[in-house]
Amino acid sequence: MTATETAPQASREQAPKGERIADWTDQRLGIYNFRFMVRKVFPEHWSFMFGEIALYSFVLLILTGIWLTLFFEPSMAETVYDGPYVPLQGVVMSEAYASTLEISFEVRGGLLIRQMHHWSALVMTAALCLHTLRHFLTGSFRKPREANWLIGFTMLILVILEGFFGYSLPDDLLSGTGMRIASGITLAVPVVGTYVHMLAFGGEFPGMDLVPRLYSMHILLIPAIVFILVNVHLALVIYHKHTQFRGPGRTENNVVGEPFVPNYTAKAGGFFFLVTGTLALMGGIAQINPVWAYGPYKADQISQGSQPDWYMGFLEGALRAMPAWEFVIPGGYTVNMGVLIPAVILPTVMILVIMLWPFLESWVTGDKREHHLLDRPRDHPTRTAFGCAFVSLYLVLFFGGANDVLAERFSLSLNAITWAVRIGVFVVPALTYVVTRRICLALQLRDRDKLLHGRETGRIRRLPHGEFIEVHEPLDQGSGHALLSRQDYKPLPAPATEAGGVPNPKARKEILRYRLSRWLYGNQIAKPTEQELRQALEHAEHAADGHPSPNGHAEARGAVEAREPDREAH
């Protein structure tokens, strides 16, 4: 056989089975085109785990939710309970409530799955809140991630609604009380409130259509939207590449971390099972939402100490703290400001402020650059203080929603707690803002001192001429680089009100931007300049009347050398 002849088919070596399966799959799905994901780099930082916890909780929510749909009956038709739970035998209830009891007491593993589903919803919402707060405090919402910020925040709102709808499906007395509040809030919206109420409830509350409509949105509409948004969110993360904190070798043009395969996949897989196991443990030993203890919903009854799930606590607190206030406008329409302000206007303002913050900050600063390196919270004192004040407002309202429970448990006056919440809504956020900003500025000042003099050790040394000094340790090059590479944010220059005797037509707009930029970036602690670092080095070398400090030379030189990577990074 010559070199140009083809060997018989039987004499050729057959490819391994795994390779043949991979070729068959690639020819039909084109998975080889995604080979870039194998070396996709993921940075390492503990704060990134919040997004993963939310994702893994969502996966568990889908799995347990599919299981629950096999047994739940989304109907408000009345039935008489004759199940094994003796205290409710013979009680008239909806089929939705009866099927929830059946899942809890008669279906094998039903109570475990129910509680895992509920705990997963609470954990996912908490993880998303922390994930959003982390993005806000580190500035990862800046260009080019504004759209992804909006997608993520929209997911948070949808998940809160999804949790509220799912919480209301059993039609027990506690969730029915929450839906009655939602009905009142809907009716409080002027002009369109009655029409929205008709679409949502199908008539007067509670009606017969409430649970079926909530069920459709809970298992189909909202999960589908969230699933799509999750995929778009992750795709944009891959497209824009991951953000990372400043450090040696980290620039705006690279990502330092571990590859997707095999490092990140192994860690992520283990973390998924850890989250799943924790939620299963919580579902097995930590009771939550015992609907049999509340009984079925009756419009003329209410459970004492009613508390919603934690993510709706701030809304409950706002309603309890708001004084009664209503008036009638021409045409005979009653406007109930006692409900409209705390339950409609306040949440809407809170949502819009956080959602639009990236665009406000970009407009104020005029910064159109791409940002892939994160700020530490102390690097942006005003933003951090505002975020902490926002959280403190939420917490004040959250505890206000439990004023009756607090009054009972601690033997306090209910009215005193309510007035404390009313005052705290204004005082606590303002105080939190001032204190947080001062702490951030103090941390900036400490970082500056570390760069100039090194890290304090607490060790005291006596010099030959009798002076006592504290021994400082020099910063390593990585720590020095991280401190020196932060951005020095500065306010905009004052605008000119006129040019050549002609009034500036954009003076008002520019003055507003100038004032906002002073609020955002004014009075910050500047990084030491290279000249200051060298002066610190010279001072350390000639300390103690010509007797060099045993550690001063090294600490100052380390700070000067740490600036070199900073030059390369930019």
Side-chain angles (χ1 to χ4, degrees):
M1 184 176 62
T2 64
T4 58
E5 293 178 353
T6 303
Q9 185 72 24
S11 65
R12 300 180 192 172
E13 289 189 8
Q14 192 174 29
K17 186 176 181 179
E19 183 178 338
R20 285 185 281 120
I21 293 175
D23 288 340
W24 185 92
T25 306
D26 179 63
Q27 290 169 7
R28 288 154 181 81
L29 301 179
I31 58 175
Y32 186 70
N33 294 327
F34 296 95
R35 62 188 181 277
F36 68 93
M37 283 297 299
V38 173
R39 304 308 297 175
K40 176 71 177 176
V41 175
F42 288 79
E44 294 180 344
H45 196 269
W46 62 268
S47 63
F48 295 163
M49 73 178 182
F50 296 130
E52 296 184 44
I53 293 175
L55 178 62
Y56 303 151
S57 300
F58 180 63
V59 173
L60 192 60
L61 273 171
I62 296 297
L63 296 177
T64 54
I66 292 174
W67 191 92
L68 290 172
T69 58
L70 303 177
F71 303 97
F72 183 72
E73 183 64 36
S75 172
M76 298 192 71
E78 291 187 343
T79 184
V80 178
Y81 181 72
D82 60 353
Y85 188 66
V86 176
L88 291 177
Q89 287 180 355
V91 175
V92 178
M93 59 185 63
S94 66
E95 292 187 357
Y97 185 68
S99 66
T100 304
L101 294 178
E102 180 184 358
I103 293 173
S104 302
F105 296 117
E106 300 179 58
V107 177
R108 181 169 295 181
L111 183 58
L112 173 65
I113 300 299
R114 260 198 67 231
Q115 297 198 150
M116 285 179 61
H117 190 74
H118 202 132
W119 276 119
S120 299
L122 297 183
V123 170
M124 179 182 179
T125 308
L128 279 177
C129 289
L130 293 173
H131 185 62
T132 303
L133 184 62
R134 196 271 295 179
H135 281 289
F136 183 84
L137 296 180
T138 59
S140 67
F141 52 75
R142 294 172 293 183
K143 182 182 179 180
R145 296 176 178 84
E146 301 96 334
N148 220 9
W149 167 264
L150 295 178
I151 292 173
F153 200 79
T154 302
M155 280 195 293
L156 174 59
I157 297 172
L158 290 175
V159 166
I160 291 176
L161 288 176
E162 173 78 347
F164 179 68
F165 291 162
Y167 164 84
S168 304
L169 284 178
D171 196 33
D172 60 287
L173 184 57
L174 182 60
S175 65
T177 302
M179 287 308 302
R180 180 167 60 182
I181 295 174
S183 171
I185 294 172
T186 306
L187 291 174
V189 179
V191 183
V192 300
T194 52
Y195 299 100
V196 176
H197 189 277
M198 178 65 68
L199 292 174
F201 295 91
E204 294 293 333
F205 177 81
M208 297 297 292
D209 300 329
L210 177 59
V211 169
R213 293 183 181 184
L214 291 179
Y215 186 71
S216 299
M217 289 187 287
H218 181 71
I219 71 166
L220 183 61
L221 181 60
I222 297 181
I225 297 175
V226 172
F227 180 79
I228 293 172
L229 291 179
V230 166
N231 283 275
V232 175
H233 186 74
L234 295 178
L236 288 176
V237 169
I238 295 173
Y239 176 73
H240 291 142
K241 76 181 182 182
H242 279 273
T243 55
Q244 58 186 345
F245 286 94
R246 300 176 185 275
R250 300 175 183 179
T251 70
E252 297 282 3
N253 302 316
N254 69 350
V255 178
V256 178
E258 295 185 337
F260 180 68
V261 178
N263 302 56
Y264 182 78
T265 51
K267 289 184 177 180
F271 194 35
F272 170 76
F273 289 112
L274 180 62
V275 171
T276 302
T278 302
L279 291 174
L281 184 65
M282 295 170 66
I285 66 175
Q287 179 177 272
I288 188 170
N289 198 25
V291 295
W292 54 87
Y294 310 133
Y297 177 70
K298 301 295 182 183
D300 60 341
Q301 298 178 6
I302 187 171
S303 58
Q304 189 274 338
S306 299
Q307 302 295 316
D309 279 339
W310 71 267
Y311 47 82
M312 299 299 295
F314 83 101
L315 191 62
E316 179 84 6
L319 285 167
R320 295 188 185 190
M322 182 68 190
W325 177 25
E326 65 179 34
F327 53 86
V328 180
I329 61 176
Y333 292 101
T334 300
V335 180
N336 190 343
M337 302 301 290
V339 175
L340 190 62
I341 290 178
V344 178
I345 297 178
L346 177 62
T348 302
V349 171
M350 293 171 69
I351 290 172
L352 289 178
V353 167
I354 298 299
M355 287 190 70
L356 300 180
W357 182 275
F359 304 97
L360 170 66
E361 191 169 309
S362 175
W363 177 75
V364 169
T365 61
D367 186 5
K368 303 302 181 182
R369 299 171 299 167
E370 290 193 0
H371 294 272
H372 303 289
L373 291 176
L374 299 174
D375 293 328
R376 293 183 305 169
R378 71 184 66 176
D379 296 340
H380 205 301
T382 301
R383 184 205 294 150
T384 301
F386 183 86
C388 291
F390 187 92
V391 173
S392 70
L393 172 63
Y394 177 91
L395 291 177
V396 169
L397 296 176
F398 172 81
F399 286 109
N403 57 357
D404 53 343
V405 177
L406 294 174
E408 179 186 4
R409 293 294 176 89
F410 298 99
S411 300
L412 299 173
S413 168
L414 179 65
N415 290 333
I417 295 176
T418 301
W419 273 104
V421 172
R422 291 173 177 174
I423 298 172
V425 164
F426 300 98
V427 174
V428 173
L431 185 62
T432 302
Y433 175 86
V434 173
V435 172
T436 303
R437 196 172 191 281
R438 295 302 304 173
I439 291 174
C440 290
L441 292 175
L443 291 174
Q444 285 187 357
L445 189 61
R446 190 184 71 168
D447 290 344
R448 177 185 173 87
D449 186 69
K450 282 183 179 180
L451 287 170
L452 292 174
H453 306 295
R455 182 181 292 106
E456 296 177 356
T457 63
R459 300 195 305 270
I460 304 300
R461 178 172 296 180
R462 183 179 181 181
L463 297 180
H465 64 283
E467 179 184 359
F468 290 91
I469 64 169
E470 181 181 10
V471 179
H472 286 200
E473 289 182 353
L475 294 178
D476 59 88
Q477 191 169 359
S479 300
H481 170 78
L483 296 181
L484 280 170
S485 62
R486 74 172 176 91
Q487 283 187 293
D488 261 339
Y489 295 104
K490 296 180 181 179
L492 297 174
T497 57
E498 61 179 32
V502 179
N504 184 2
K506 299 181 180 179
R508 290 185 179 181
K509 178 180 177 181
E510 292 179 356
I511 290 174
L512 176 62
R513 287 183 59 193
Y514 167 69
R515 291 176 178 174
L516 288 175
S517 69
R518 284 183 59 84
W519 171 64
L520 279 173
Y521 300 136
N523 301 322
Q524 293 204 45
I525 306 300
K527 295 185 300 183
T529 63
E530 187 170 348
Q531 181 180 2
E532 290 174 329
L533 290 172
R534 296 193 180 279
Q535 288 177 352
L537 175 62
E538 294 174 0
H539 177 75
E541 291 175 340
H542 296 88
D545 297 327
H547 297 279
S549 172
N551 59 307
H553 186 281
E555 69 194 27
R557 184 170 298 281
V560 174
E561 292 175 352
R563 185 172 290 275
E564 297 305 323
D566 182 52
R567 292 176 177 175
E568 298 174 2
H570 296 283

